[in-house]
Structure formats: structure tokens, C-alpha cells
Amino acid sequence: MGRAERKAEAREEIVRREQHRERRRQISRILHKPAAERSPGERELLESYAELVQELEKQRLRRERLRYREQEGLMHTTVSIRKPWAPSVVDGPEILQEKVLDLAEAVRGAEHMVIYTGAGISTAAAIPDYRGPSGVWTLLNKGRSVSTGDLSEAEPTFTHMCIAGLHKAGLVQHVVSQNCDGLHLRSGLPRDAISEVHGNMYIEVCTSCSPHREYVRLFDVTERTALHKHNTGRSCHKCGGELRDSIVHFGERGKLAQPLNWLGAVKAAKRADVILCLGSSLKILKKYHCLWAMNRPSTRRPKLYIVNLQWTPKDALATLKIHGKCDEVMRLVMDKLKLDIPDYNRSLDPIFSMAVPLRPGEEASHTRKLIKAAETPDARSDQPLSPQALSGGWFGKGCTKGRRKAK
């Protein structure tokens, strides 16, 4: 098959998919009407697509059954209370399968889907979350030090690669991440498809240049930075101005165009008809009103799907809440969608092609380990990550400002 034929076939598939989505929406709107208010033409349309009507009715009954079970006290779930932090709730296998089926249908039928991610999707890379039982805030409030695996050894997790696969398949249009670990970028997502609204630990910026000049590095650039102190100690190769990190600490307002990409995030949120939140408590994201289309009538707001082990302030507004681990849920979703999950390949990690090398004399400006290329023996992904206490940077100084001494 030639290139022209493949393009024509792809266009036909897109048209077929769009026609199917429009038909589903049309049938769904009719089913929401009382039977007595349906016109003869609408009744005839329902009869013509009896199989689709049956499928939509089954989905509605499943959703009602799930809501009933949750209202009855989260039947068939395991609740683990770790006071004073929020309880972790895990859906049982049967409920999880039913919920995943609904989520997969939502992903397949979405016109413009946006994913919001939090620290929970990076815990599999030995990067702690914030409010979980072993999270950063949890440990600091207990007066304990924060430790993590060597960040230079961290790789995109299974969930990161699932998201990259969904974007490649055209099912996800944009990703808004609170994470500073740079793993979405390293998973292969295009820059214009990511909004790292709290910054990226590998990117430092010259704000003296116009437009701002970015420097992607192979090490954590935040070693010398902290809350309201963002200069990294290096200078711009073009104008000589001081470079600053891109991290937005708690209590700060991010103003950099990139890597925050708020313009892309707001634009995507305005077009979204489905929002999927993965591994986030949403206690910070809920404050960004531009991400939730709250200025629209409630019937025209995007459908909200949440995957998190703990309660979030958006649960009551969600079309569906899944209590489960992100990797497990995404594995099931990709299986339902019959989509291949790309493997992370360190030799193809885009950060190596983006990285700007240090100039002579700058080697001593940091002590962080470099991300090793694939051919380096100690960069193999099957090696266990070595735990280390963190000092400085986006995990260290930025967190210890609010640390309480243990009694």
C-alpha cells in the first residue's frame, strides 16, 4: 500500500470514528429525554440503532449500580486508615473492572481529552508523593527526613508511557502536570502537548533574553535554589544573564511561558469534553479555576474521571472515581482499548537531544549526578534505585520551610 493510500485510509478511519461519536452523542441526548417527549423521528432513529441503544443503556445501568454500591459504604473495597492522613481506598477486582470499562469507553468516545497528573504517577519511579503515607508532607510533619531514589536513575513509569501511547493514538490532546520530575518530557510527549505548571527540574531559563532562552540539562538544576531564590549559579551563553530554575514552590506564582505552558493548559481546558485526573490529591489543582470550565453551565462542563487512592475535593463532581493505583488502572484501560504500550527506551530519551552542555569552567557549578546514556553500564533500568536523603532543590529546601520539629 502506497503512502497516498495509507493517508486516504487514515482519513476515512478518522471520519468513521467522528461519525460514530456524533451518533453516540445524538442517541444519548435522545435517551435522556422522557419517552413521551421524543419525536417520531427520534423514536425511528432509536429503532434504527437498537444495538447502540442497548449498549448505552447497559453503561447507564452499570454507572447506577456503581454509584449505589459506593453510597452503601464502598462495598467490596478495602479501606486502610493511616491517621492523621486521608484513608487509602482500594476498589475490589469486580468493581475495578466495571469502572475501568466505563473509563475506557469515555477515552474512546472523547473529542478532546485532557489528562491532569500528580505525584502519584511517579511513585513507581521511587519518587515520593506528597500526601500519601510515605509522602513528603507526611514525613516532614512527623519530623523525619525526606529520602528518595537517585533522581538521575529515575525513568518514566508505566503510566507515563501509557499516556504517551494515548497521545500518539490521538486519544489524548494535552497533559497538565504538577510534577517537576520531567518524566512526561522524557516519555516522548511533544513539548506543545505538555504543561508542567510547577516547572521541570532539568530546565533552567534566562529571563533576560527575549524571548526567554531555555537550557535543558542532564542533571537536577535546582541544587542551589529554594523558595523565592531561583538563581542556579550559571549564566546565559547568549547574553551572560543569570539563569534561574523553572520551579514554582508552594506560595509562588509561576510566570514563565515554558515549561509551565499555561497558555496551552488553558486552551486545552476550554476545549476539553473529558478530563482524567491521575495520581493527584487535586488540593492544589482545584485552585486553578481556568482548568475546570466552571464558567460553563453544569451540563456543558467536561466529564471528570479521577484515579486516586485517597479522597479529593473534586470527587463529588466526578462522573467516575476509581480507587486504585495508576499503573494498575492504566494497564486495564490500555487492554480494553487494545492499544500497545510503548516501552521506555533510554537510548531514545528526548532529553539527550535537547540537552545543552555546560561551558568550560561550569562543571563545578553542581554536584548532582548526570542522567546516564543507555550504553553506560550503571544506567540499566533493572538496577535497584539507591535511596538517598535530599538536600537543597525542589525536594529539599523548598519543603523544609514548613517543617515542624518532632515532639
Side-chain angles (χ1 to χ4, degrees):
M1 185 184 294
R3 183 178 179 183
E5 288 83 358
R6 288 198 301 272
K7 283 189 173 182
E9 185 175 317
R11 283 194 296 268
E12 289 175 3
E13 177 60 29
I14 291 171
V15 171
R16 281 196 297 271
R17 185 187 294 179
E18 180 57 35
Q19 289 174 343
H20 181 67
R21 288 175 179 170
E22 180 56 36
R23 191 155 50 242
R24 285 177 66 91
R25 285 194 294 270
Q26 187 180 12
I27 297 295
S28 182
R29 283 194 295 267
I30 296 172
L31 290 175
H32 276 84
K33 291 184 178 181
E37 296 180 11
R38 296 170 188 167
S39 67
E42 289 173 337
R43 287 194 290 270
E44 185 178 342
L45 188 63
L46 293 180
E47 291 174 2
S48 302
Y49 294 99
E51 289 185 5
L52 182 55
V53 170
Q54 188 177 11
E55 179 187 344
L56 291 171
E57 284 293 321
K58 283 182 179 179
Q59 288 182 12
R60 181 183 63 80
L61 290 172
R62 262 201 315 271
R63 284 194 295 269
E64 289 181 356
R65 189 163 62 250
L66 288 171
R67 289 195 185 102
Y68 174 77
R69 288 181 181 180
E70 290 183 348
Q71 288 170 0
E72 288 295 308
L74 295 170
M75 290 174 62
H76 307 295
T77 62
T78 301
V79 181
S80 176
I81 306 290
R82 294 179 175 89
K83 292 182 179 180
W85 312 106
S88 295
V89 179
V90 181
D91 286 325
E94 183 183 343
I95 285 186
L96 183 62
Q97 287 288 344
E98 292 188 24
K99 289 184 175 182
V100 163
L101 187 59
D102 283 347
L103 176 56
E105 285 298 321
V107 173
R108 185 183 289 115
E111 282 190 347
H112 196 93
M113 179 172 164
V114 182
I115 294 182
Y116 298 165
T117 65
I121 75 165
S122 294
T123 53
I127 300 174
D129 58 14
Y130 289 90
R131 294 177 173 85
S134 301
V136 173
W137 305 136
T138 308
L139 295 178
L140 290 177
N141 275 276
K142 291 179 179 179
R144 294 161 59 184
S145 61
V146 179
S147 298
T148 184
D150 183 350
L151 296 179
S152 68
E153 298 175 14
E155 296 180 348
T157 66
F158 184 83
T159 297
H160 285 99
M161 300 313 297
C162 287
I163 293 170
L166 289 171
H167 180 269
K168 187 176 181 180
L171 295 174
V172 170
Q173 280 62 51
H174 201 81
V175 176
V176 179
S177 181
Q178 299 169 262
N179 300 339
C180 307
D181 51 36
L183 295 181
H184 279 304
L185 179 64
R186 296 181 59 195
S187 73
L189 277 176
R191 291 297 301 275
D192 59 0
I194 318 170
S195 294
E196 296 174 296
V197 295
H198 292 164
N200 185 314
M201 61 183 276
Y202 296 111
I203 296 178
E204 51 188 347
V205 181
C206 175
T207 55
S208 299
C209 287
S210 182
H212 294 171
R213 187 177 299 274
E214 270 190 347
Y215 292 83
V216 179
R217 306 295 193 184
L218 295 179
F219 57 89
D220 178 4
V221 304
T222 70
E223 182 177 6
R224 301 182 179 184
T225 68
L227 180 69
H228 303 313
K229 297 178 181 179
H230 292 278
N231 290 341
T232 62
R234 289 172 288 276
S235 57
C236 177
H237 299 184
K238 179 78 173 178
C239 73
E242 290 186 322
L243 298 183
R244 56 152 293 166
D245 70 10
S246 59
I247 303 302
V248 181
H249 290 289
F250 188 79
E252 295 180 329
R253 183 182 295 274
K255 296 180 180 179
L256 295 176
Q258 290 291 349
L260 278 55
N261 191 18
W262 270 109
L263 188 64
V266 173
K267 182 178 178 182
K270 285 181 178 178
R271 297 184 59 191
D273 60 338
V274 171
I275 294 174
L276 171 59
C277 300
L278 295 172
S280 173
S281 69
L282 299 180
K283 291 183 179 180
I284 301 299
L285 276 186
K286 72 170 184 178
K287 299 177 181 179
Y288 302 138
H289 300 294
C290 56
L291 298 180
W292 304 102
M294 297 305 290
N295 57 336
R296 298 189 210 168
S298 58
T299 55
R300 295 181 56 197
R301 291 173 192 162
K303 292 182 178 179
L304 177 60
Y305 294 80
I306 299 173
V307 180
N308 203 54
L309 288 169
Q310 293 150 335
W311 173 89
T312 83
K314 290 287 184 180
D315 284 0
L317 299 175
T319 301
L320 182 68
K321 169 69 180 293
I322 300 179
H323 303 91
K325 293 184 177 180
C326 294
D327 283 1
E328 182 182 357
V329 171
M330 292 307 296
R331 189 184 303 277
L332 293 171
V333 168
M334 297 298 276
D335 182 62
K336 299 293 184 188
L337 295 173
K338 294 181 170 54
L339 288 177
D340 293 329
I341 301 144
D343 292 323
Y344 171 69
N345 186 337
R346 189 174 281 248
S347 64
L348 300 178
D349 192 323
I351 199 168
F352 293 109
S353 60
M354 295 178 183
V356 179
L358 295 174
R359 292 186 296 184
E362 289 186 327
E363 292 83 359
S365 65
H366 74 97
T367 62
R368 298 293 199 218
K369 288 185 180 180
L370 298 178
I371 301 174
K372 297 297 191 296
E375 61 271 19
T376 306
D378 61 357
R380 291 175 301 179
S381 60
D382 58 349
Q383 289 186 334
L385 299 186
S386 52
Q388 59 174 172
L390 291 177
S391 61
W394 63 288
F395 252 122
K397 294 176 185 174
C399 297
T400 55
K401 297 289 287 186
R403 179 173 177 172
R404 293 205 306 255
K405 292 184 180 180
K407 295 181 179 179

